[in-house]
């Protein structure tokens, strides 16, 4: 595949052909930076903060490869180096509360969003900065002008009239990395809320030259944060109970021992597709369910 892509005449042919070639390079070429400069992920950590002490920083090796490879490698680095869990024992409750400093799914949605909407002809990489209290994920250029500043500040859902890389998005959807339909931002906010974390914030400039997503850390992981208040405990406990109820509904529905489609659980739980898939993945990881291993047309049954 690499040899075939190297021989492509990217500057010849009609625009439609060049567009298909470009998408092929982004999805299947192990070194797309040969054709699109700065197609990599740049990650830097500021242990004491980029404002308080920017001279103390750690630059990690750039992440390169095809778009799916870069997304996978970026998430593996987050999982291995930055995502942490805290277990809190709640009085009069057998189960402890498990809280993440950053929920994995929220980070993944933000990373995929950066690759989906960036300009691959731009001379700027996807940039990630790790602060003591947040993660900043930036791509260039910014949000399409059809989305107002008020909508951006609200941070609910961005419905664009123009998708910069629609075909790339279709490939990412086939790999279960993107849902499309402008569902990425609601998913980020939903995952943060489930974890008891503050909402994500979104920033751009007047010229829409860049887009920055700020994912705040859970307050329980701030060094100077006192012990959890009763209100916070109750809120997290409520979220946990809701999740357990969803688990029980899924397992009861699957008591027949047959294979079932994801769409059946969406109707059963009255949830969005992204959240339903996450619950099913968690049950598979817990050894309660098995799936058929297919990216498209995935089905589940009791183990």
């Amino acid at each position: 595949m690499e040899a075939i892509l190297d021989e492509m005449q990217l500057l010849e042919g009609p625009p439609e052909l060049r567009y298909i070639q470009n998408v092929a390079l982004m999805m299947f070429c192990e070194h797309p930076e040969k054709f699109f400069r700065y197609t990599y992920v740049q990650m830097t950590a500021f242990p004491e903060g980029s404002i308080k002490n920017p001279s103390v920083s750690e630059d990690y090796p750039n992440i390169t490869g095809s778009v799916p490879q870069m997304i996978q490698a970026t998430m593996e680095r987050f999982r291995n180096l930055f995502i942490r869990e805290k277990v809190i024992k709640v009085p009069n409750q057998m189960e402890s509360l498990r809280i993440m400093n950053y929920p994995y799914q929220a980070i993944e949605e933000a990373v995929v969003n950066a690759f989906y909407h960036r300009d691959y002809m731009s001379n700027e990489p996807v940039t990630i900065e790790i602060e003591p209290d947040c993660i900043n994920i930036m791509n260039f250029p910014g949000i399409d002008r059809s989305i107002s500043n008020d909508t951006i500040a609200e941070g609910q859902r961005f419905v664009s009239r123009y998708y910069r890389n629609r075909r790339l998005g279709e490939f990412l959807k086939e790999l279960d990395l993107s849902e499309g339909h402008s569902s990425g931002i609601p998913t980020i906010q939903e995952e943060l809320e489930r974890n008891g974390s503050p909402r994500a914030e979104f920033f751009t400039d007047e010229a829409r030259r860049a887009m920055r997503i700020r994912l705040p850390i859970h307050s329980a992981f701030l060094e100077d944060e006192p012990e959890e208040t009763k209100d916070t405990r109750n809120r997290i406990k409520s979220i946990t109970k809701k999740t357990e109820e969803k688990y029980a509904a899924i397992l009861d529905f699957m008591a027949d021992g047959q294979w079932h489609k994801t769409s059946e659980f969406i109707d059963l739980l009255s949830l969005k597709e992204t959240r339903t898939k996450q619950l099913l993945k968690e049950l598979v990881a817990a050894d309660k369910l098995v799936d058929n291993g297919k990216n498209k047309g995935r089905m589940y049954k009791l183990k």
Side-chain angles (χ1 to χ4, degrees):
M1 175 62 73
E2 193 80 17
I4 295 174
L5 294 171
D6 282 343
E7 294 176 359
M8 283 185 170
Q9 301 297 317
L10 297 179
L11 300 180
E12 297 181 2
E16 294 82 2
L17 177 58
R18 294 202 302 271
Y19 177 73
I20 293 172
Q21 292 172 336
N22 290 347
V23 173
L25 288 169
M26 289 184 280
M27 288 298 300
F28 307 113
C29 179
E30 293 186 1
H31 298 284
E33 68 274 12
K34 293 180 181 179
F35 308 95
F36 309 103
R37 297 181 63 190
Y38 301 96
T39 301
Y40 58 85
V41 179
Q42 182 182 73
M43 186 177 290
T44 305
F46 296 93
E48 299 180 18
S50 60
I51 296 178
K52 182 179 179 181
N53 195 351
S55 62
V56 178
S57 64
E58 182 176 359
D59 292 319
Y60 294 90
N62 292 336
I63 296 174
T64 60
S66 66
V67 169
Q69 288 172 336
M70 284 189 286
I71 292 173
Q72 181 180 9
T74 300
M75 293 312 302
E76 286 179 356
R77 183 175 290 176
F78 270 116
R79 185 189 296 110
N80 295 333
L81 299 181
F82 300 111
I83 295 179
R84 292 182 288 129
E85 182 182 58
K86 179 171 286 190
V87 179
I88 301 175
K89 180 61 180 176
V90 181
N92 303 320
Q93 179 175 312
M94 183 174 65
E95 298 88 0
S96 297
L97 298 177
R98 297 183 177 274
I99 303 170
M100 311 303 296
N101 58 344
Y102 300 101
Y104 180 92
Q105 187 68 22
I107 299 176
E108 184 180 58
E109 288 288 342
V111 169
V112 171
N113 184 82
F115 280 99
Y116 190 171
H117 298 292
R118 68 157 293 178
D119 181 357
Y120 285 86
M121 302 307 292
S122 170
N123 290 332
E124 298 290 344
V126 171
T127 303
I128 298 174
E129 295 179 351
I130 314 296
E131 300 271 1
D133 62 346
C134 68
I135 294 172
N136 289 300
I137 300 175
M138 291 161 281
N139 65 276
F140 303 83
I143 305 172
D144 186 68
R145 291 184 180 274
S146 62
I147 300 172
S148 69
N149 290 331
D150 290 340
T151 301
I152 295 171
E154 191 178 59
Q156 293 283 3
R157 183 169 181 253
F158 303 160
V159 181
S160 177
R161 299 173 186 170
Y162 167 73
Y163 284 86
R164 186 173 292 112
N165 302 299
R166 184 175 292 276
R167 188 67 182 120
L168 176 63
E170 291 172 356
F171 276 113
L172 294 176
K173 184 175 181 179
E174 290 292 326
L175 295 174
D176 272 347
L177 293 172
S178 173
E179 295 295 337
H181 310 299
S182 304
S183 63
I185 304 305
T187 299
I188 291 172
Q189 302 291 27
E190 181 179 304
E191 292 297 326
L192 289 169
E193 182 180 357
R194 285 184 58 241
N195 192 56
S197 303
R199 290 173 60 81
E201 297 177 284
F202 304 86
F203 305 91
T204 188
D205 59 4
E206 292 184 2
R208 303 292 175 94
R209 290 173 297 184
M211 162 70 171
R212 175 165 67 93
I213 301 178
R214 180 182 182 273
L215 302 176
I217 196 170
H218 192 287
S219 60
F221 289 82
L222 294 173
E223 292 181 356
D224 58 349
E225 183 72 15
E227 292 187 5
E228 295 278 327
T229 63
K230 185 176 180 180
D231 289 342
T232 303
R233 291 184 189 275
N234 289 339
R235 178 159 50 90
I236 299 171
K237 182 178 178 181
S238 174
I239 293 172
T240 304
K241 281 187 175 181
K242 289 179 181 178
T243 301
E244 290 177 349
E245 290 172 358
K246 300 298 183 185
Y247 288 157
I250 292 172
L251 295 174
D252 288 344
F253 180 75
M254 303 186 73
D256 60 2
Q258 302 299 313
W259 290 98
H260 292 279
K261 300 177 181 178
T262 304
S263 58
E264 297 180 64
F265 301 106
I266 294 174
D267 295 336
L268 172 70
L269 304 174
S270 298
L271 294 175
K272 294 188 299 184
E273 183 178 359
T274 303
R275 177 65 182 133
T276 303
K277 286 182 176 180
Q278 181 65 25
L279 289 170
L280 292 168
K281 287 180 181 179
E282 290 169 359
L283 286 172
V284 171
D287 232 19
K288 301 293 185 180
L289 303 181
V290 294
D291 61 50
N292 60 3
K294 296 181 179 179
N295 286 328
K296 189 173 183 180
R298 183 166 295 184
M299 301 180 71
Y300 302 84
K301 72 173 182 178
L302 284 175
K303 186 165 184 179

